[in-house]
Amino acid sequence: MSNKNVAVFFGDENFPKKGRGNSSKKWTKAVNKLATVLHDLQIHYAYLPSYKGANVVAGHVLDKLDIPYTLVIPHPSFGSNSTMKSKIVLADLSEKANKTVVLGEEQDPDAIKYNSEEITSDFVDYISKHCNSIVIASKKGAMTEKLEKLLRQFPEEAFKKIYTVHY
C-alpha cells in the first residue's frame, strides 16, 4: 500500500436527520463538520461500507469534494430486507461511486440464516488490505453498540491513522 491516505469511513446510523420534526440547523452543522474534516484529512481515496446514516451522508460529501470512493457491500444479501427508499439511496451511492464491490457469495435463497461471522470476517479482511486510515463518525459520546462491535473486529495494527468526528 502506498503512502497515500486511503481511508475507510464508518459512521453511526443515527446521523442527524432533516425534515419534519427534526432540526435543520443540527443537520447542517453535522454535514458541515463532516465535510470539513473529510476535506482537511486530505484523503486520496475512500472505501465506504454500504450502510445508512452517516455513511450515506459521507458518500454525498465525498462526491462533492471529488474524493473517489469504492462502495463496499459486505454480502449479496445486504439490503434484501431494506425498504424501497433505502434501496434507492444505496443505488444512488453506487452510481456516485468510482467502483462498487460486493463481497461474499450468494447463498441458497431458502437458507434460514447467513453466517454473519464469516461475512464480517471477509469484510474486515478486505478493508484491512485496502485502507491505511479509518474515519469514525458518531454522535459525541454515544457511538452505537453495533458500530463499536464492528470496530472491535479490526486488529489494533490495521490502520496507521485513526480519525474521529463527533457531530
Side-chain angles (χ1 to χ4, degrees):
M1 190 176 320
S2 71
N3 289 332
K4 288 187 173 182
N5 194 0
V6 178
V8 60
F9 180 92
F10 286 111
D12 274 337
E13 59 187 282
N14 59 5
F15 193 83
K17 293 176 174 60
K18 69 176 184 176
R20 197 157 65 185
N22 297 297
S23 168
S24 292
K25 283 183 184 178
K26 195 183 252 187
W27 181 84
T28 301
K29 184 178 176 185
V31 171
N32 286 339
K33 183 160 191 175
L34 186 59
T36 300
V37 169
L38 289 174
H39 178 267
D40 290 350
L41 293 179
Q42 298 181 342
I43 295 168
H44 294 88
Y45 197 88
Y47 284 78
L48 185 66
S50 56
Y51 205 56
K52 50 189 165 184
N55 284 42
V56 171
V57 175
H60 293 289
V61 170
L62 291 166
D63 183 55
K64 292 288 185 203
L65 294 174
D66 290 323
I67 299 171
Y69 70 90
T70 292
L71 180 66
V72 182
I73 299 173
H75 192 268
S77 66
F78 184 84
S80 59
N81 294 330
S82 297
T83 64
M84 187 54 74
K85 182 179 177 184
S86 293
K87 289 177 183 179
I88 290 169
V89 167
L90 187 60
D92 185 45
L93 285 179
S94 182
E95 187 177 303
K96 287 177 172 41
N98 193 48
K99 182 172 150 183
T100 298
V101 173
V102 181
L103 303 176
E105 297 176 13
E106 187 67 68
Q107 291 178 316
D108 179 357
D110 296 328
I112 296 173
K113 188 175 180 188
Y114 292 95
N115 185 340
S116 62
E117 287 177 16
E118 188 176 308
I119 292 168
T120 302
S121 176
D122 289 348
F123 176 73
V124 167
D125 287 346
Y126 181 83
I127 293 298
S128 297
K129 286 177 188 170
H130 290 86
C131 301
N132 61 6
S133 302
I134 183 171
V135 180
I136 305 165
S138 68
K139 189 173 178 182
K140 193 170 189 136
M143 189 184 310
T144 61
E145 191 176 313
K146 193 175 185 180
L147 180 55
E148 283 183 26
K149 184 179 176 188
L150 175 61
L151 294 176
R152 283 194 297 270
Q153 301 292 317
F154 288 90
E156 275 188 45
E157 68 281 354
F159 305 108
K160 291 179 185 171
K161 301 173 189 168
I162 299 172
Y163 308 103
T164 55
V165 181
H166 296 291
Y167 42 78

